[in-house]
Amino acid sequence: MTGRMRIAIDGPAAAGKSTIAKLVAKKLGFTYIDTGAMYRAITYKVLQHAVDLHDEEAIAKLIEKTDIELHPSEHAQQVILDGVEVTDVIRSHEVTSTVSAIAALTSVRKLLVAKQQGLAAHSSVVMDGRDIGTAVLPDAELKVFMTASVEERAQRRFLEEQSRGITTDYETLKREISERDLADSEREISPLKKAEDAIILDTTGKTIEEVTSSIVKYAEERYPR
Ligand code: DC
């Protein structure tokens, strides 16, 4: 493989995007970029500073000078916010339940989309999020829209949280995932939406290996030579 390739993976919450994207990146030797982690880091910063969530001007000012670094690591990708590691704290319930509101703000999206485009400017990447194929990398060589039934997504999140020692009941997770899908799909700027030229991949009932290898196959077919 010689040329540069950008793979965009979009889809609703808990569809398995980050698990799969990380594995695809590893197999192909590309850089993995978790854009959801960037929205979570910004949300964490807003919550830490106790800024009024409705005061967009104050939020825009607060985040103007924000440094977010993503470092690949064997387990989770490390997230560094203004020099401090926030990898785990950005997965808290407080951040998860606030992130859709923060991600709907124009100033937040402008800042992060520009950062994401910068990260993908010179290297081969696998980037996952909600608007990668439509707004961040509209000319990506491969676009995948990953879905799964809400029941399966809630079940996966349940097992994931359990393994991290968090106990949330399944029905609550299912409700929260549905609410987040709705908020992410109905916002005005860059809503969660399949790009016209994206391949739909329904992961319901499929294993991680199956989904990973089908994306790697698509990538190999489309790789610019
Ligand atoms: O993928 P995730 O659950 O970590 O994403 C957290 C939130 O960030 C999600 O509810 C929507 C938002 N998001 C977004 O608006 N655009 C992206 N490219 C990635 C995430």
PDB file of all heavy atoms in Angstrom, residues 112-123 127:
ATOM      1  N   LEU A 112     -13.574  21.701  17.126  1.00  0.00           N
ATOM      2  CA  LEU A 112     -13.160  20.297  17.052  1.00  0.00           C
ATOM      3  C   LEU A 112     -13.064  19.779  15.624  1.00  0.00           C
ATOM      4  O   LEU A 112     -12.170  19.004  15.306  1.00  0.00           O
ATOM      5  CB  LEU A 112     -14.079  19.421  17.917  1.00  0.00           C
ATOM      6  CG  LEU A 112     -13.956  19.680  19.421  1.00  0.00           C
ATOM      7  CD1 LEU A 112     -14.761  18.660  20.216  1.00  0.00           C
ATOM      8  CD2 LEU A 112     -12.502  19.632  19.885  1.00  0.00           C
ATOM      9  N   VAL A 113     -13.958  20.222  14.741  1.00  0.00           N
ATOM     10  CA  VAL A 113     -13.872  19.776  13.343  1.00  0.00           C
ATOM     11  C   VAL A 113     -12.535  20.234  12.746  1.00  0.00           C
ATOM     12  O   VAL A 113     -11.842  19.474  12.078  1.00  0.00           O
ATOM     13  CB  VAL A 113     -15.091  20.258  12.513  1.00  0.00           C
ATOM     14  CG1 VAL A 113     -14.858  20.045  11.023  1.00  0.00           C
ATOM     15  CG2 VAL A 113     -16.356  19.514  12.941  1.00  0.00           C
ATOM     16  N   ALA A 114     -12.136  21.483  13.050  1.00  0.00           N
ATOM     17  CA  ALA A 114     -10.851  21.987  12.543  1.00  0.00           C
ATOM     18  C   ALA A 114      -9.690  21.150  13.096  1.00  0.00           C
ATOM     19  O   ALA A 114      -8.761  20.788  12.367  1.00  0.00           O
ATOM     20  CB  ALA A 114     -10.679  23.453  12.925  1.00  0.00           C
ATOM     21  N   LYS A 115      -9.745  20.826  14.383  1.00  0.00           N
ATOM     22  CA  LYS A 115      -8.682  20.000  14.990  1.00  0.00           C
ATOM     23  C   LYS A 115      -8.641  18.622  14.320  1.00  0.00           C
ATOM     24  O   LYS A 115      -7.580  18.097  14.018  1.00  0.00           O
ATOM     25  CB  LYS A 115      -8.967  19.782  16.493  1.00  0.00           C
ATOM     26  CG  LYS A 115      -8.426  20.886  17.400  1.00  0.00           C
ATOM     27  CD  LYS A 115      -8.591  20.441  18.862  1.00  0.00           C
ATOM     28  CE  LYS A 115      -8.579  21.602  19.838  1.00  0.00           C
ATOM     29  NZ  LYS A 115      -7.264  22.224  20.018  1.00  0.00           N
ATOM     30  N   GLN A 116      -9.830  18.055  14.081  1.00  0.00           N
ATOM     31  CA  GLN A 116      -9.887  16.703  13.488  1.00  0.00           C
ATOM     32  C   GLN A 116      -9.357  16.714  12.056  1.00  0.00           C
ATOM     33  O   GLN A 116      -8.637  15.802  11.645  1.00  0.00           O
ATOM     34  CB  GLN A 116     -11.334  16.193  13.532  1.00  0.00           C
ATOM     35  CG  GLN A 116     -11.788  15.899  14.962  1.00  0.00           C
ATOM     36  CD  GLN A 116     -13.284  16.017  15.183  1.00  0.00           C
ATOM     37  OE1 GLN A 116     -14.057  16.116  14.230  1.00  0.00           O
ATOM     38  NE2 GLN A 116     -13.704  16.007  16.436  1.00  0.00           N
ATOM     39  N   GLN A 117      -9.701  17.759  11.306  1.00  0.00           N
ATOM     40  CA  GLN A 117      -9.203  17.848   9.933  1.00  0.00           C
ATOM     41  C   GLN A 117      -7.685  17.992   9.931  1.00  0.00           C
ATOM     42  O   GLN A 117      -7.000  17.402   9.103  1.00  0.00           O
ATOM     43  CB  GLN A 117      -9.875  19.015   9.202  1.00  0.00           C
ATOM     44  CG  GLN A 117     -11.340  18.681   8.911  1.00  0.00           C
ATOM     45  CD  GLN A 117     -12.144  19.864   8.389  1.00  0.00           C
ATOM     46  OE1 GLN A 117     -11.795  21.016   8.644  1.00  0.00           O
ATOM     47  NE2 GLN A 117     -13.242  19.580   7.691  1.00  0.00           N
ATOM     48  N   GLY A 118      -7.158  18.736  10.904  1.00  0.00           N
ATOM     49  CA  GLY A 118      -5.710  18.896  11.034  1.00  0.00           C
ATOM     50  C   GLY A 118      -5.029  17.558  11.313  1.00  0.00           C
ATOM     51  O   GLY A 118      -3.994  17.241  10.729  1.00  0.00           O
ATOM     52  N   LEU A 119      -5.650  16.758  12.184  1.00  0.00           N
ATOM     53  CA  LEU A 119      -5.064  15.456  12.536  1.00  0.00           C
ATOM     54  C   LEU A 119      -5.031  14.502  11.348  1.00  0.00           C
ATOM     55  O   LEU A 119      -4.180  13.616  11.273  1.00  0.00           O
ATOM     56  CB  LEU A 119      -5.868  14.802  13.682  1.00  0.00           C
ATOM     57  CG  LEU A 119      -5.772  15.452  15.067  1.00  0.00           C
ATOM     58  CD1 LEU A 119      -6.771  14.812  16.031  1.00  0.00           C
ATOM     59  CD2 LEU A 119      -4.355  15.301  15.625  1.00  0.00           C
ATOM     60  N   ALA A 120      -5.981  14.680  10.414  1.00  0.00           N
ATOM     61  CA  ALA A 120      -6.060  13.766   9.269  1.00  0.00           C
ATOM     62  C   ALA A 120      -5.388  14.328   8.023  1.00  0.00           C
ATOM     63  O   ALA A 120      -5.407  13.698   6.971  1.00  0.00           O
ATOM     64  CB  ALA A 120      -7.519  13.465   8.963  1.00  0.00           C
ATOM     65  N   ALA A 121      -4.774  15.508   8.154  1.00  0.00           N
ATOM     66  CA  ALA A 121      -4.273  16.195   6.961  1.00  0.00           C
ATOM     67  C   ALA A 121      -3.127  15.470   6.259  1.00  0.00           C
ATOM     68  O   ALA A 121      -3.013  15.534   5.045  1.00  0.00           O
ATOM     69  CB  ALA A 121      -3.854  17.616   7.327  1.00  0.00           C
ATOM     70  N   HIS A 122      -2.293  14.796   7.015  1.00  0.00           N
ATOM     71  CA  HIS A 122      -1.107  14.222   6.372  1.00  0.00           C
ATOM     72  C   HIS A 122      -0.923  12.730   6.578  1.00  0.00           C
ATOM     73  O   HIS A 122       0.079  12.171   6.159  1.00  0.00           O
ATOM     74  CB  HIS A 122       0.154  14.950   6.867  1.00  0.00           C
ATOM     75  CG  HIS A 122       0.063  16.429   6.653  1.00  0.00           C
ATOM     76  ND1 HIS A 122       0.112  16.992   5.409  1.00  0.00           N
ATOM     77  CD2 HIS A 122      -0.140  17.449   7.537  1.00  0.00           C
ATOM     78  CE1 HIS A 122      -0.035  18.305   5.526  1.00  0.00           C
ATOM     79  NE2 HIS A 122      -0.198  18.605   6.809  1.00  0.00           N
ATOM     80  N   SER A 123      -1.880  12.080   7.285  1.00  0.00           N
ATOM     81  CA  SER A 123      -1.630  10.654   7.493  1.00  0.00           C
ATOM     82  C   SER A 123      -2.854   9.808   7.184  1.00  0.00           C
ATOM     83  O   SER A 123      -3.951  10.327   7.002  1.00  0.00           O
ATOM     84  CB  SER A 123      -1.157  10.417   8.931  1.00  0.00           C
ATOM     85  OG  SER A 123      -1.858  11.225   9.810  1.00  0.00           O
ATOM     86  N   MET A 127     -11.125   7.317  11.520  1.00  0.00           N
ATOM     87  CA  MET A 127     -11.717   8.296  12.422  1.00  0.00           C
ATOM     88  C   MET A 127     -13.161   7.898  12.692  1.00  0.00           C
ATOM     89  O   MET A 127     -13.888   7.603  11.758  1.00  0.00           O
ATOM     90  CB  MET A 127     -11.652   9.673  11.762  1.00  0.00           C
ATOM     91  CG  MET A 127     -11.848  10.817  12.722  1.00  0.00           C
ATOM     92  SD  MET A 127     -11.776  12.429  11.887  1.00  0.00           S
ATOM     93  CE  MET A 127     -10.053  12.806  11.912  1.00  0.00           C
TER      94      MET A 127
END
